[in-house]
Amino acid sequence: MKLLHLDSSALGANSVSRELSAAIVAQWQARHPGLEVEYRDLDSNPLPHLTGASLAKADPAEAEESARVLEQFLSATIVVIGVPMYNFGIPSTLKAWIDRIAVAGRTFRYTANGPEGLAGGRKVIIASARGGVHSNSPSDFQEPYLRQVFAFLGIDDLQFVRAEGVSLSPQHRTEALAAARAAIPAAVGTVSQAA
Ligand SMILES: Cc1cc2nc3c(=O)[nH]c(=O)nc-3n(C[C@H](O)[C@H](O)[C@H](O)COP(=O)(O)O)c2cc1C
């Protein structure tokens, strides 16, 4: 079984979402020592923006990487993604990855009855970090967006491990991280039932 681990924070070692995504993967590995883990850092190793030239497959190397990214996603049973909130949404580096895996005919298709997701049967865990507090607020274009994208692709098993309000004060950050870390076993436990 394969786990795909992605990070998208630009804050390196100071990143909350990186700390949480690594902790999620570590707990998953501890329960399943034979687990194959593939990692991509979308900050240091970003994908190019999707352009008209990308859709036309004008650059063979870019088209090859795009195909590889899609196959890497499709070959993973578990996907763990570190996702900071940037300007109320997700980092553009993660959006660039989503643009490569949302592919008509592979991960979704349109039918006479509406869109149909083709990438079901895998689990996605989001390690979410936000400077402010946005849960259940109209200011949240990060988590609802991710719910929509993965649901559209047919993935109904989406978990969030969330640290929010981390920029409010050092105490908020410490407490938010502790609460998020405490939520990891439940998220991993849910995942492990599928193993
Ligand atoms: C470029 C940038 C944009 C941000 N935009 C928001 C925002 O819109 N709302 C918010 O609550 N926090 C915002 N923050 C704060 C981050 O969400 C917060 O620092 C979070 O911990 C980032 O995740 P990370 O620690 O994994 O990098 C922003 C931070 C950066 C660097």
Side-chain angles (χ1 to χ4, degrees), residues 19-95:
E19 183 177 330
L20 290 174
S21 73
I24 292 165
V25 173
Q27 287 200 20
W28 181 241
Q29 279 178 305
R31 294 189 193 193
H32 300 269
L35 184 70
E36 187 186 341
V37 177
E38 290 191 7
Y39 179 70
R40 181 164 189 150
D41 187 333
L42 295 170
D43 180 69
S44 61
N45 187 20
L47 288 153
H49 286 301
L50 192 74
T51 62
S54 317
L55 294 175
K57 297 184 169 42
D59 177 350
E62 182 187 333
E64 199 179 298
E65 183 172 30
S66 202
R68 212 168 35 239
V69 164
L70 174 61
E71 295 311 322
Q72 184 182 49
F73 169 66
L74 288 173
S75 68
T77 307
I78 315 291
V79 182
V80 177
I81 315 177
V83 187
M85 174 184 273
Y86 284 171
N87 301 314
F88 306 102
I90 63 169
S92 59
T93 49
L94 179 58
K95 178 60 167 57

Side-chain angles (χ1 to χ4, degrees), residues 169-187:
S169 73
Q171 189 185 341
H172 276 93
R173 181 185 169 107
T174 302
E175 289 174 3
L177 252 171
R181 278 186 167 279
I184 292 174

